[in-house]
Amino acid sequence: MQHPTHGWATAVQATLHCLTGCAIGEVLGMVIGTALGWGNLPTTVLAIVLAFIFGYSLTLRGALKGGLDFRAAVQVALAADTLSIAVMELIDNGVIVLWPDAMDAELADLLFWASLAISLAIAFVVTVPVNKWMIGRGKGHAVVHQHHAH
């Protein structure tokens, strides 16, 4: 019988957590870069960096609330989220790059927001099985569950 914290529901919850941090960072980076008139590469790099920062910070906050000291909380966040965020960002940005005209869309364009939302949704669907696989092996968000109730 499968351990209850290793199922699809836990993987979906972990991926939603990852998606939240990634989406905040991704949208913020795209908005900042686009508003400042930056080119595609610096805007994308900023969005990815912020996605990792916000993704890690959400797990870090929970681990600190769970009683871990800062160093241990950072280690838990890195262990829990690195692969999940990396997969999500790879898929999300890959979809945007491949989507015709999405990289050149402006903040006022429906294409900007639609391509971003759809790319994050696709990234979510691809990342859930990655998280399930990691959790089933005691990695990823299984590490977080050892330290606090999510």
Side-chain angles (χ1 to χ4, degrees):
M1 186 161 144
Q2 192 174 42
H3 192 278
T5 62
H6 295 178
W8 285 105
T10 303
V12 166
Q13 181 184 19
T15 308
L16 281 171
H17 179 267
C18 177
L19 178 68
T20 302
C22 285
I24 292 168
E26 188 79 25
V27 170
L28 191 59
M30 293 289 190
V31 167
I32 290 169
T34 302
L36 295 176
W38 290 2
N40 291 337
L41 183 60
T43 299
T44 302
V45 169
L46 177 63
I48 293 169
V49 168
L50 290 176
F52 273 92
I53 290 170
F54 279 94
Y56 287 140
S57 67
L58 293 177
T59 298
L60 187 63
R61 186 187 69 180
L64 290 169
K65 282 169 80 176
L68 292 181
D69 65 41
F70 185 76
R71 182 178 174 170
V74 167
Q75 290 173 337
V76 165
L78 291 173
D81 290 336
T82 300
L83 182 61
S84 182
I85 295 171
V87 169
M88 189 158 289
E89 286 302 296
L90 179 68
I91 300 301
D92 169 45
N93 286 287
V95 169
I96 299 264
V97 166
L98 295 174
W99 190 309
D101 301 321
M103 290 294 288
D104 299 318
E106 299 293 326
L107 294 177
D109 297 339
L110 176 61
L111 178 59
F112 178 91
W113 297 103
S115 63
L116 190 56
I118 291 168
S119 69
L120 286 167
I122 293 168
F124 174 82
V125 170
V126 172
T127 307
V128 169
V130 172
N131 279 326
K132 183 177 185 314
W133 178 81
M134 288 179 17
I135 291 165
R137 281 149 190 76
K139 310 259 186 250
H141 269 258
V143 176
V144 174
H145 284 277
Q146 295 168 8
H147 299 287
H148 73 93
H150 211 36

